[in-house]
Amino acid sequence: MPRRSAPIKAEVPDEPMDTSGAQQKETTGWPTDELRMLSERVLNTYDTPTDFAGVPCQEFDLTAFLDAIHIDIINESKDKFELEFDLVGVEAPIANAIRRVLIAEVPTMAIEKVYLYQNTSIIQDEVLCHRFGLLPVKADPRQFNWPTEKVVGINENVDCAEEPAGEPNRNLVFDFHVKCKRNPRAVPSDTAPEALYIDSSIYSKDFKWCPIGNQAADFAADPPRMVHDDILVAKLRPGQEIEARLHCVKGVGRDHAKFSPVATASYRLLPTIRLKEPITGEAAHRLQDSFSKGVIEIKEQGGVEVAEVVDARRDTCSRNVLRHDDLAAKVELGRKKQHFIFSIESTGAMPAHELFVDACKILAAKAAYLRSVCEPKWVTI
């Protein structure tokens, strides 16, 4: 069998890494705090000179860092479940850490145990229990303690007759019992199930909270309940019945998605659009069509239609304008590297602004723990 020779390594002289990117961008007039978006590339993506080995940088100043951070509330829904704000003055790792903590580490209450006493519907027991577990529960998790025992799997050999009473400081208990019947007042010509039957469709409003211990007094002002009353759980026909008791516990999204307090938590960088020269006439209309609605407006100046950037925030950064060779030379696209447009949509367990505050507290606790672990090692070094 022929032997395969080892690959020959070419002698390439060592060249120092080019760490003058920041200076080059400054000399070409491109802001150092912006990404530069080309048709197929994104340039100027570094954060600080500390991203490069051997580049001198100033000593970190905590006071200056904190003074540069500010938050601007842009929009908040009436029900407090949706929040849009600008987080300015931080780098991407911090913004992404807050986003990840929001999704996976801010706790909520969710249905964990379903004691199913009766299910004669067409939905299998496992599927029905899974649907129960994904219903968002309106309860403040900060008023409950973490469960003391690890959640056991499905092969736990626990009979429904052995349902535990629950702990007032750890559990919420809901009762669910619905049976479909024929409507004696239905008109013979009716065909809609809602008219022919009673309780043909069961919703999240059919869950009844069962206080345990002193919960009735503790939560009198804001009783625990499902976030929405109109979530369809199942459909029944006469004679079919579902009876269950549901126990809620405190948990986090990294253990199961049902504990995640947000439907979505995302951010994007603030777009920047600069016109290097006036764009008029037919080219102005093509420029307007290349961006999202509301970004470019056509204004008349001296009898000539001129394009003007009115709201770069609305841009989705599609870069469609770069498809036109004549426009690409007249437009500069970028994104502010330390200006994050944050969007938080709560599932309803807690207001979105409270979720953000809790996420920051959790991140701060993680940083404090890391420091407590590392400080003894710094002393020895």
Side-chain angles (χ1 to χ4, degrees):
M1 184 175 180
R3 298 177 60 185
R4 183 174 298 176
S5 59
I8 301 175
K9 296 183 179 180
E11 295 294 333
V12 180
D14 294 335
E15 296 182 0
M17 181 177 63
D18 180 13
T19 59
S20 60
Q23 291 77 4
Q24 291 178 359
K25 298 304 177 186
E26 290 176 349
T27 56
T28 56
W30 191 265
T32 58
D33 64 340
E34 286 186 22
L35 301 177
R36 184 173 186 179
M37 301 181 63
L38 304 180
S39 59
E40 296 181 355
R41 293 185 300 162
V42 178
L43 304 180
N44 204 27
T45 58
Y46 63 89
D47 285 324
T48 63
T50 57
D51 289 349
F52 303 102
V55 177
C57 60
Q58 296 180 352
E59 184 178 355
F60 178 72
D61 187 347
L62 179 60
T63 302
F65 174 72
L66 295 177
D67 291 341
I69 298 176
H70 65 273
I71 296 176
D72 301 321
I73 304 298
I74 303 302
N75 184 37
E76 186 175 20
S77 61
K78 293 182 179 179
D79 57 9
K80 308 294 185 181
F81 291 166
E82 297 181 22
L83 177 66
E84 180 182 348
F85 61 92
D86 288 357
L87 178 60
V88 184
V90 300
E91 295 180 357
I94 296 178
N96 191 49
I98 295 174
R99 181 191 66 85
R100 294 188 57 160
V101 170
L102 274 168
I103 294 173
E105 299 195 46
V106 175
T108 61
M109 299 294 291
I111 296 171
E112 179 64 30
K113 291 293 184 182
V114 178
Y115 298 91
L116 195 60
Y117 292 96
Q118 184 78 280
N119 177 26
T120 57
S121 69
I122 63 172
I123 302 179
Q124 299 93 332
D125 293 351
E126 295 82 0
V127 177
L128 182 63
C129 294
H130 187 262
R131 290 180 65 82
F132 286 158
L134 293 177
L135 293 173
V137 178
K138 177 67 174 177
D140 190 347
R142 295 168 293 192
Q143 301 186 33
F144 293 88
N145 296 331
W146 296 94
T148 55
E149 298 180 1
K150 183 179 179 181
V151 177
V152 188
I154 58 174
N155 298 322
E156 54 184 332
N157 299 320
V158 176
D159 195 27
C160 285
E162 303 173 12
E163 177 192 348
E167 300 180 48
N169 61 340
R170 301 183 191 279
N171 299 108
L172 285 173
V173 178
F174 288 91
D175 183 71
F176 186 82
H177 190 189
V178 179
K179 184 175 182 180
C180 182
K181 302 176 182 178
R182 293 188 180 274
N183 185 4
R185 299 182 179 180
V187 179
S189 59
D190 285 336
T191 59
E194 293 78 9
L196 293 174
Y197 314 126
I198 299 175
D199 291 331
S200 62
S201 297
I202 54 179
Y203 295 90
S204 51
K205 64 182 179 181
D206 296 314
F207 288 85
K208 308 300 180 184
W209 173 51
C210 302
I212 54 179
N214 57 349
Q215 287 184 349
D218 294 341
F219 302 112
D222 189 16
R225 59 196 181 275
M226 299 298 151
V227 173
H228 304 287
D229 292 335
D230 56 351
I231 300 177
L232 181 64
V233 178
K235 291 191 175 184
L236 304 179
R237 289 300 178 262
Q240 295 180 348
E241 180 181 7
I242 298 177
E243 181 182 3
R245 295 265 293 185
L246 309 101
H247 290 223
C248 303
V249 299
K250 183 177 180 178
V252 292
R254 67 182 179 187
D255 293 333
H256 196 285
K258 66 185 177 184
F259 291 112
S260 182
V262 293
T264 180
S266 61
Y267 62 80
R268 61 190 181 95
L269 296 175
L270 179 69
T272 60
I273 303 172
R274 283 185 289 272
L275 304 182
K276 301 167 66 175
E277 60 182 77
I279 300 178
T280 61
E282 180 270 340
H285 288 276
R286 282 193 292 117
L287 179 71
Q288 184 182 42
D289 294 339
S290 299
F291 290 94
S292 304
K293 185 177 180 180
V295 176
I296 304 294
E297 284 189 4
I298 305 297
K299 297 184 178 181
E300 188 169 337
Q301 298 178 3
V304 179
E305 291 182 328
V306 181
E308 182 177 329
V309 180
V310 293
D311 191 0
R313 185 188 186 90
R314 294 174 177 265
D315 183 33
T316 59
C317 297
S318 63
R319 293 183 273 188
N320 285 332
V321 66
L322 301 181
R323 296 172 180 265
H324 306 279
D325 294 337
D326 58 331
L327 297 179
K330 302 176 182 179
V331 179
E332 291 181 343
L333 303 179
R335 279 186 165 189
K336 289 286 185 181
K337 291 191 289 187
Q338 296 190 3
H339 191 134
F340 298 89
I341 303 174
F342 241 100
S343 297
I344 301 175
E345 182 180 342
S346 171
T347 58
M350 295 172 61
H353 65 271
E354 293 186 15
L355 293 177
F356 178 75
V357 173
D358 285 352
C360 293
K361 290 179 179 179
I362 292 173
L363 186 59
K366 287 177 173 289
Y369 173 74
L370 179 62
R371 180 170 183 169
S372 67
V373 173
C374 295
E375 273 185 337
K377 299 182 181 295
W378 294 340
V379 175
T380 57
I381 294 175

